[in-house]
Amino acid sequence: MNARHFTLNVGEASRSYALWVSSCISFEQGRGFAKRFGGVHMGVRRVAVVTVIVLSGLGSASAETSSSVRPILRFADLPKAVRADIEPKDRDCHIEESRLAYGDAFEVVDAGGKRLIIVPCGPAGAYNMPFALYGGYGEEISRAIFPLKFSETTGDTAFNIRYDRVEGRFTSFLKGRGMGDCGSYYVWRAAEPGSKDLLVLEEVRIKEECDAGGDGGPAAWPLIWKRQ
């Protein structure tokens, strides 16, 4: 799937926001379908996996939250700490600056000034794309983790991130194969302003059988865990 980028018009009352559709890469291989979709460490690092279409700020200004969103389209838009991870060719998260032109990197800033930055991390592949999470205040930015299944595990890389600005939620959809009829689906929300956390895990859904069935999409898959 080719990436497309649409204009983000933050200043207008009607609030037309950016839609970023990323190309995708394959997820880390491991033993056992359920283990891969559970985000279990298979190989070098733990991963969360996420289908991303970043679709922010639907509707009128009255539906907005207090967060602001902006696309990141060049290295100069990033804090030094993030650039140090993705710009040098010898770093695990290295990407070419031209990759940012796809519009699949972005920053969310909450009412308290806390910055949450999502950027591509490393090479792309078939149908899932890796991203890294950074957060902090001002230029004091550091790498962060994604809470995974049951909240006691975390991942330093996630794939294909979708952010809903109105709900303040990030959804992750790991495609078990290209048609997306199986995999895992994570839902996070942005942590409250002032919290030391960036994301809070809300629910996990997993479908192991790749059956080409019309089942209502990943949000309707069997619920494995939900925050009480």
Side-chain angles (χ1 to χ4, degrees):
M1 178 165 45
N2 294 327
R4 292 184 235 171
H5 179 248
F6 297 82
T7 304
L8 174 67
N9 300 315
V10 179
E12 298 179 6
S14 62
R15 303 296 182 183
S16 173
Y17 292 108
L19 170 65
W20 299 294
V21 182
S22 72
S23 57
C24 302
I25 74 161
S26 60
F27 56 93
E28 278 191 46
Q29 297 301 311
R31 298 177 190 170
F33 187 92
K35 287 185 178 180
R36 291 201 304 270
F37 293 150
V40 177
H41 188 185
M42 290 294 176
V44 178
R45 59 190 173 189
R46 293 182 186 274
V47 295
V49 269
V50 195
T51 285
V52 173
I53 297 172
V54 179
L55 179 57
S56 305
L58 293 175
S60 66
S62 62
E64 293 175 16
T65 67
S66 57
S67 295
S68 63
V69 186
R70 70 177 182 91
I72 295 169
L73 302 175
R74 55 183 185 163
F75 285 152
D77 296 332
L78 293 164
K80 293 179 180 178
V82 183
R83 292 185 66 170
D85 277 353
I86 69 172
E87 195 169 354
K89 293 184 182 297
D90 61 347
R91 300 306 294 263
D92 289 343
C93 272
H94 169 69
I95 59 170
E96 298 296 330
E97 187 169 31
S98 58
R99 168 78 173 278
L100 296 176
Y102 291 3
D104 53 4
F106 63 98
E107 177 177 359
V108 180
V109 182
D110 72 16
K114 182 167 61 180
R115 303 175 69 180
L116 186 157
I117 299 168
I118 299 286
V119 292
C121 176
Y127 47 81
N128 294 308
M129 176 175 287
F131 286 78
L133 171 66
Y134 293 82
Y137 293 85
E139 288 297 313
E140 297 297 319
I141 302 296
S142 59
R143 185 83 175 263
I145 49 84
F146 295 89
L148 299 183
K149 188 175 180 181
F150 307 126
S151 291
E152 74 271 11
T153 57
T154 58
D156 65 355
T157 305
F159 289 83
N160 312 325
I161 301 173
R162 175 173 183 157
Y163 177 62
D164 184 323
R165 184 178 189 270
V166 173
E167 298 294 330
R169 301 196 333 162
F170 299 77
T171 56
S172 96
F173 172 24
L174 163 61
K175 291 184 178 182
R177 61 179 182 174
M179 67 187 302
D181 58 339
C182 55
S184 68
Y185 182 76
Y186 282 78
V187 178
W188 295 285
R189 64 173 172 80
E192 295 297 325
S195 170
K196 62 181 179 61
D197 298 320
L198 294 176
L199 299 176
V200 177
L201 183 62
E202 292 287 286
E203 68 178 53
V204 180
R205 296 176 182 270
I206 295 176
K207 183 185 175 193
E208 298 187 13
E209 185 178 2
C210 302
D211 56 5
D215 51 15
W221 287 352
L223 181 65
I224 303 301
W225 180 85
K226 186 175 181 64
R227 179 170 296 279
Q228 300 300 317

